[in-house]
Amino acid sequence: MSTNSNNSKSSNNLENILIIGNGGRENALAWAIQKNQLIKKIYILPGNAGSKKINKSERINLDLQNIEELIKKINYLNIDLVVIGPETPLADGLGDILRKNNFDVFGPGSDGAKLESSKSWAKEFMKAAKIPTANFWKVKSIEEAKEIIFKHKNPLVVKADGLASGKGVFIPESKEACIRATEEIFKGKFGNAGEIVVLEEKIEGPEVSVFALCDGKKYVLLPTAQDHKRLNENDKGPNTGGMGAYSPTPLITKTNLETIKKEIIEPTIDALLRQNIDYRGVLYFGLMITESGTKVIEYNCRFGDPECQTIMPLMDKDFVTILQKCALGKLIGNETIEIPNKLSGCVIATSKGYPSNYKIGFPINIGNIDTEDCQIFDSGTSLNSNNQTITNGGRVLSIVCQGIDFDNVFEKVYKNLKEISFEGIYYRKDIGHQVRIKTQKEGNN
Ligand code: AMP
Ligand code: GLY
C-alpha cells in the first residue's frame, strides 16, 4: 500500500508547486496552475526551453535518482505540492518515497502505477473487477503464444507487458506477423518490459480519453478528449505518442458518460480500494467505443500527452486546489471545474522521422502568432549556447487554441502553425477531422 502520511508537512498552504517532467504536458499543467492567485512559484524539474516562459515558473535541475538531494531541495523551496508528470518515476515509486517523507504528492504510488506499468496486471485487475475490456491471454513463452494465436480465427493484438514509451503494441494483419511481433518482444526488443506478452482480441471503434482526478476514494472528471495516435492523415501510419487532440469530444454523450462512470470509473476506484491501493493522482482511461459497449483499451497513471495540453486551457483557477485535495485525500466529491463555453484543440509539430529516427538541434522560428485564446507549449525543446530554442525531441511543440466551435479552433491552430518553422517540421493537417465541418483538411491552405 502507498504510504500516505497523516502528518504531512503542509498546512494546506498552496504557494509553491513542484512539477516533475520535461514535456508539453508539464508546461501545460504549470500554465493552468499559475492561474490561481495563491500560487507564488512553480518549479519545473527539469522542464524544457519553454518552461521559463510560463508565468511564475522556473526550471530546476537535479538528478531524480538522487533522492536525498531532491528532498533537501523540496524542503528548501518550501514546496506545498509535488505533481509528478511522467509514468516512469511514478512506476519507480517516487510518489511513495516523497509521501514517506511527508510531502503532499499528486501522483499514485508504484502500486497504483501498475495499472500502466504492467499490462497483464491491469488486464487481470479488470477481469477480476468485471470492467469491460478486450479478452486477453498472458503468455511467457513463444510456444504458449503460438498455441493461442493459432487457436484464433483472427490475428491477435500483441503487447509487451511493461513500459515501452507507447511502442510496445502491435496490431498485426496476419497470424505470422503476430508470431514475429511476439518473438521480437521475447528477444528483448523492449528489455525487461517484454518478459511477459499480452495477447488480446482485436476490438474496433473510435477511441476516447477520460481523466479522473482521484483522492483515493472520490474523483472529479476533466473534460473528455480524443487523441490522434497515428502519424499520418486519415489515421494512417504508425502509432505515435499522439499527434493532436481536441476536447471535449461529442463521441461521449452525457448518457454514455454516466454508463462509463458506473461500469468503468467507479468499479476501477472500488477495485483499487479493495486492494488497499490509495490512488491519489489522475486515472487516465483509454477507451474504445465498440458496438458492444465502451471498453477499456488501457489505463495510464498520468495525464495524456497531448490531451493535457488540450484540456488545461479549459481549466479555471480551482484546478490546482483540486490537485491538492487529491494529494491530501480530501476531495468532497462535489467539486466542479468551471469550464468556459469554449472548445479546445491541439496539433503537435514533430521532427521529420518521428516516431522512428529523427534529428534534433534545429533552431525554431516563431513568427507573428495569434495569442488570444492560443498557447504554444514546448514539448521537446532545449536552448543552444546562443540561448536560442532548438528542437530536442520527436514531438517538438504543442500548438493549442480555444474557440466557439472546432472550425474556429483549428483555423486558429493552423494559422499559427504557418508562422512556425524548423528544419523537417511535420504535422497532421486533419486533426479534429471528426468534429470539423467547414475547414476539414484545410490546414495547409
Ligand atoms: P495501448 O498502448 O494499450 O493503448 O495501445 C496502443 C493503441 O493500440 C491503442 O490506442 C489502440 O489504437 C490499439 N489497440 C490496443 N489494444 C487494442 C485492441 N485490443 N484492439 C484494437 N486495437 C487496440
Ligand atoms: N496521448 C496518449 C498518451 O499520452 O498515452
Side-chain angles (χ1 to χ4, degrees):
M1 182 174 177
S2 320
T3 316
N4 285 306
S5 166
N6 289 327
N7 59 340
S8 77
K9 288 178 182 166
S10 107
S11 49
N12 288 358
N13 276 353
L14 194 55
E15 293 184 356
N16 299 314
I17 309 289
L18 172 66
I19 301 178
I20 292 173
N22 67 352
R25 172 180 51 206
E26 287 75 24
N27 285 334
L29 287 167
W31 190 90
I33 287 172
Q34 57 80 27
K35 282 187 181 176
N36 192 304
Q37 67 282 6
L38 293 174
I39 301 297
K40 290 203 172 134
K41 197 92 198 169
I42 304 168
Y43 299 94
I44 311 183
L45 193 177
N48 60 37
S51 304
K52 68 174 192 318
K53 288 184 251 164
I54 298 162
N55 197 15
K56 306 180 191 175
S57 297
E58 184 179 318
R59 286 179 79 180
I60 53 175
N61 210 353
L62 205 148
D63 177 9
L64 264 193
Q65 307 300 324
N66 190 342
I67 296 296
E68 209 176 304
E69 280 302 308
L70 179 63
I71 287 170
K72 259 199 223 159
K73 193 82 177 177
I74 299 177
N75 274 321
Y76 176 74
L77 297 173
N78 274 323
I79 297 295
D80 299 305
L81 177 68
V82 182
V83 179
I84 305 176
E87 63 277 19
T88 304
L90 289 166
D92 289 347
L94 183 61
D96 303 303
I97 295 169
L98 295 181
R99 271 188 279 263
K100 262 187 207 138
N101 283 277
N102 299 329
F103 298 116
D104 295 332
V105 181
F106 181 86
S110 64
D111 51 4
K114 261 190 140 177
L115 284 176
E116 176 165 0
S117 66
S118 169
K119 290 193 188 287
S120 62
W121 190 86
K123 293 296 277 189
E124 278 162 357
F125 172 93
M126 284 187 263
K127 192 175 171 187
K130 300 193 169 51
I131 292 165
T133 188
N135 288 330
F136 73 101
W137 297 266
K138 174 181 170 180
V139 293
K140 289 190 175 157
S141 71
I142 188 71
E143 291 72 33
E144 239 183 303
K146 278 184 184 167
E147 204 176 304
I148 291 158
I149 291 167
F150 285 125
K151 238 195 251 164
H152 283 84
K153 188 163 154 260
N154 298 316
L156 298 172
V157 174
V158 179
K159 299 184 177 183
D161 186 53
L163 295 178
S165 311
K167 292 180 187 149
V169 175
F170 298 84
I171 314 207
E173 296 292 326
S174 67
K175 292 185 184 184
E176 291 66 35
C178 273
I179 292 167
R180 273 200 305 276
T182 313
E183 272 169 347
E184 277 183 32
I185 298 175
F186 278 135
K187 274 188 191 150
K189 189 169 183 178
F190 304 106
N192 291 346
E195 282 171 6
I196 294 173
V197 166
V198 174
L199 299 171
E200 269 183 43
E201 160 200 41
K202 185 173 171 185
I203 54 175
E204 273 169 23
E207 288 177 58
V208 290
S209 307
V210 173
F211 301 93
L213 307 176
C214 304
D215 79 337
K217 294 186 187 73
K218 301 197 177 99
Y219 67 96
V220 177
L221 286 185
L222 292 183
T224 58
Q226 188 172 33
D227 185 14
H228 298 64
K229 289 224 166 97
R230 301 297 195 99
L231 179 67
N232 301 323
E233 273 124 50
N234 301 314
D235 297 314
K236 298 268 188 299
N239 262 328
T240 68
M243 297 296 288
Y246 69 88
S247 171
T249 172
L251 286 168
I252 303 186
T253 60
K254 264 193 178 155
T255 328
N256 198 351
L257 189 60
E258 286 311 309
T259 313
I260 291 170
K261 283 187 198 168
K262 294 279 163 302
E263 293 185 357
I264 295 173
I265 299 173
E266 286 158 19
T268 299
I269 296 172
D270 291 346
L272 286 167
L273 271 172
R274 280 199 299 278
Q275 298 204 22
N276 279 334
I277 297 176
D278 191 1
Y279 195 104
R280 300 185 184 192
V282 60
L283 257 172
Y284 166 165
F285 299 85
L287 306 175
M288 192 177 265
I289 304 174
T290 75
E291 276 180 1
S292 56
T294 304
K295 297 185 179 179
V296 179
I297 283 279
E298 64 163 348
Y299 289 114
N300 291 312
C301 60
R302 52 173 173 85
F303 290 99
D305 184 331
E307 293 99 316
C308 186
Q309 294 94 302
T310 315
I311 294 170
M312 283 306 116
L314 300 175
M315 296 295 101
D316 66 10
K317 63 176 180 26
D318 292 330
F319 172 68
V320 65
T321 60
I322 293 181
L323 298 186
Q324 186 186 38
K325 283 187 189 178
C326 290
L328 295 171
K330 284 189 179 164
L331 276 182
I332 295 165
N334 62 358
E335 289 86 351
T336 46
I337 297 171
E338 216 167 291
I339 311 294
N341 205 9
K342 280 181 189 159
L343 310 161
S344 186
C346 166
V347 175
I348 300 286
T350 65
S351 299
K352 183 179 166 196
Y354 172 78
S356 306
N357 298 332
Y358 53 83
K359 291 189 183 144
I360 57 170
F362 299 114
I364 300 172
N365 299 304
I366 300 187
N368 191 15
I369 59 153
D370 183 358
T371 53
E372 201 184 320
D373 275 342
C374 289
Q375 306 77 31
I376 297 176
F377 297 120
D378 286 36
S379 291
T381 64
S382 64
L383 293 173
N384 66 12
S385 50
N386 300 325
N387 228 18
Q388 190 179 22
T389 301
I390 53 173
T391 63
N392 190 36
R395 293 192 289 173
V396 178
L397 297 172
S398 314
I399 290 79
V400 193
C401 291
Q402 296 77 51
I404 45 165
D405 60 44
F406 284 116
D407 284 326
N408 172 241
V409 164
F410 284 102
E411 206 175 294
K412 292 201 288 182
V413 170
Y414 283 110
K415 197 164 151 258
N416 274 351
L417 263 160
K418 281 185 196 144
E419 296 289 323
I420 297 172
S421 60
F422 54 83
E423 195 174 317
I425 185 171
Y426 170 78
Y427 54 89
R428 270 180 68 165
K429 314 291 186 305
D430 67 342
I431 300 297
H433 61 86
Q434 305 87 336
V435 286
R436 284 156 70 188
I437 304 163
K438 289 196 297 243
T439 52
Q440 271 210 33
K441 296 175 199 164
E442 279 181 7
N444 217 15
N445 290 346

